[in-house]
Amino acid sequence: MYLANQALLPIRRSWEKQQQFVADASHELRMPLSIIRANAELVFRHPDRTILDMSEPLSMVLSESTRMGKLTDQLLTLARADSDQDEIILKPLHVDEIIHEVAQKFEPLAELKRLRLETKLESGLEMRGDRERLHQLFVILLDNSMKFTPENGMIHIAARRQGQLIEVYVKDTGTGIAAEDLPRIFDRFYRGDKSRSRSTGGTGLGLAIAHWIVSRHGGDIAAASESGQGTTMTLHLPASPRKSTSWPDGG
């Protein structure tokens, strides 16, 4: 009987995890749906008013529908990850090129927010990875730093080879993470400051997806932060073996 119960433990844990996931997803979707419904009803109560008069509730509908679209995409990613349906396609690539590409896309946003975005990337950082997922990973990390770094702050992203690993860190001078929240930031739906997350469009899933992407590439990710002192995300990814140099025989 004991052995039978032990054998069932992984199945029971998987079931409980799935049930929790469904409950959390339902809870997260309920709020934007309620806001959309309330604002749509408000518009229909005043058919005599112009679109300009009702611009505030209409913009709220658009904002929450955009947020819900992002949330459903993230939920689909995690659901596929849990069922091993979301394949990671590993091909040779240079991760420094992906980081540079993502950083370039964020430069206009940084300028608008008066943030300094700096990169220090060692060239030729070759590894086997999924280009699309790694792009998504760095978008998540830079987007988080951008959201929580106030005006005139700085975001620094660096990458270098360390032996058999590629080390990447994203460091910001943002609001930081409270000590009690730090151990749980990679948990799904976890948000230390829920009001702040909602105001910035956060879903509590970005870092969970980032953790999954890094893990599927055989790497690890960790956060170091103090409230009010900024945050540093450090990740390690397996590098491709260095190409050996062959020398001609002496003679």
Side-chain angles (χ1 to χ4, degrees), residues 19-170:
Q19 292 296 99
Q20 186 62 48
F21 181 77
V22 171
D24 288 340
S26 300
H27 175 76
E28 289 295 319
L29 287 167
R30 190 177 297 118
M31 178 62 77
L33 281 171
S34 298
I35 293 171
I36 289 169
R37 179 175 178 176
N39 281 278
E41 287 179 353
L42 182 61
V43 170
F44 278 109
R45 283 182 193 170
H46 304 281
D48 55 318
R49 295 187 183 178
T50 66
I51 291 177
L52 185 60
D53 293 334
M54 304 304 291
S55 59
E56 188 174 338
L58 288 172
S59 68
M60 188 67 73
V61 169
L62 179 61
S63 172
E64 287 300 312
S65 60
T66 300
R67 182 176 180 276
M68 193 164 66
K70 179 182 177 182
L71 176 59
T72 51
D73 285 345
Q74 291 176 327
L75 288 170
L76 184 58
T77 295
L78 290 171
R80 285 175 172 169
D82 285 346
S83 59
D84 293 324
Q85 291 179 8
D86 208 337
E87 293 182 7
I88 294 286
I89 302 169
L90 302 179
K91 293 181 180 179
L93 52 81
H94 289 95
V95 73
D96 53 291
E97 293 176 0
I98 298 173
I99 297 170
H100 179 68
E101 180 185 323
V102 172
Q104 278 189 315
K105 291 179 180 178
F106 275 86
E107 280 174 1
L109 297 173
E111 188 175 341
L112 284 171
K113 200 174 177 183
R114 298 180 184 175
L115 298 175
R116 201 162 81 249
L117 179 58
E118 297 179 348
T119 58
K120 186 179 180 181
L121 309 173
E122 187 179 311
S123 61
L125 295 175
E126 190 174 348
M127 64 174 289
R128 287 183 60 80
D130 187 308
R131 175 172 286 274
E132 184 179 340
R133 288 304 182 194
L134 288 172
H135 186 280
Q136 182 182 16
L137 166 66
F138 296 118
V139 165
I140 289 169
L141 296 180
L142 275 176
D143 185 51
N144 265 16
S145 285
M146 196 78 71
K147 282 175 182 173
F148 301 121
T149 301
E151 205 171 89
N152 300 315
M154 186 192 75
I155 299 168
H156 183 71
I157 181 166
R160 61 179 178 172
R161 181 160 183 145
Q162 291 279 83
Q164 299 304 309
L165 296 172
I166 294 170
E167 181 181 73
V168 183
Y169 71 80
V170 180

